[in-house]
Amino acid sequence: MGLRSVKVVRVGHRYVRDYRTLTHLCLVSRALGAEAIYLEEVEKELEETVEEVNRRWGGDFAILEGRWKRIFQDAKSEGRAIVHLTMYGTPLQEKIGELRKHDSFLLAVGGPKVPGEVYKLADYNIAVTSQPH
């Protein structure tokens, strides 16, 4: 199988509490090979931080703005597998073979309490450790 295409969407955000966590999520997504992350609102400082990392370390990771429902719809129309990462999901080990059959993904990562609709619309609800994280 060739290169995989991975994008990330952050579902919900609490700026006062999550700014550093959000920066970390962006940088980890970038470091692990994602092409882009979708956020409901993009702050200039965060955008500048990621642009500086791209300049210094290479790459063209992008921060895009959008609402998660629309991003899910677009991902489905592109044929992306939507993988919601949640401690309440099926253990990754049980689905890894099935996931390997896909070549493009949208990874959904929650912030505050994730709406139940996310669980229903995702193709997979996956737990990496089944522990709070």
Side-chain angles (χ1 to χ4, degrees):
M1 183 171 286
L3 294 176
R4 297 181 192 275
S5 171
V6 177
K7 295 182 181 179
V8 177
V9 59
R10 173 65 179 244
V11 179
H13 180 62
R14 297 174 288 189
Y15 285 105
V16 173
R17 184 172 173 190
D18 288 355
Y19 180 75
R20 288 187 56 181
T21 302
L22 184 58
T23 301
H24 186 69
L25 176 61
C26 291
L27 296 178
V28 167
S29 297
R30 178 193 172 282
L32 293 176
E35 301 162 35
I37 188 167
Y38 294 95
L39 306 173
E40 289 183 16
E41 295 178 35
V42 179
E43 289 186 351
K44 187 73 172 157
E45 185 178 343
L46 178 62
E47 196 170 43
E48 289 170 354
T49 297
V50 170
E51 287 172 0
E52 177 61 22
V53 170
N54 283 340
R55 274 194 298 279
R56 290 181 71 190
W57 295 89
D60 57 0
F61 182 78
I63 298 178
L64 306 170
E65 196 167 276
R67 302 284 182 219
W68 71 265
K69 283 184 186 181
R70 178 58 192 225
I71 294 160
F72 272 40
Q73 290 171 347
D74 291 348
K76 288 209 184 262
S77 70
E78 293 171 7
R80 289 183 181 276
I82 300 174
V83 180
H84 173 218
L85 301 176
T86 172
M87 62 188 239
Y88 302 110
T90 303
L92 175 61
Q93 298 83 346
E94 292 180 22
K95 293 290 183 176
I96 193 73
E98 195 172 327
L99 290 168
R100 285 185 172 139
K101 295 175 184 175
H102 298 279
D103 62 1
S104 61
F105 299 89
L106 176 68
L107 302 180
V109 180
K113 183 174 171 135
V114 173
E117 196 173 5
V118 170
Y119 289 86
K120 292 175 188 159
L121 294 174
D123 297 309
Y124 301 93
N125 290 287
I126 297 293
V128 176
T129 65
S130 298
Q131 298 290 319
H133 50 281

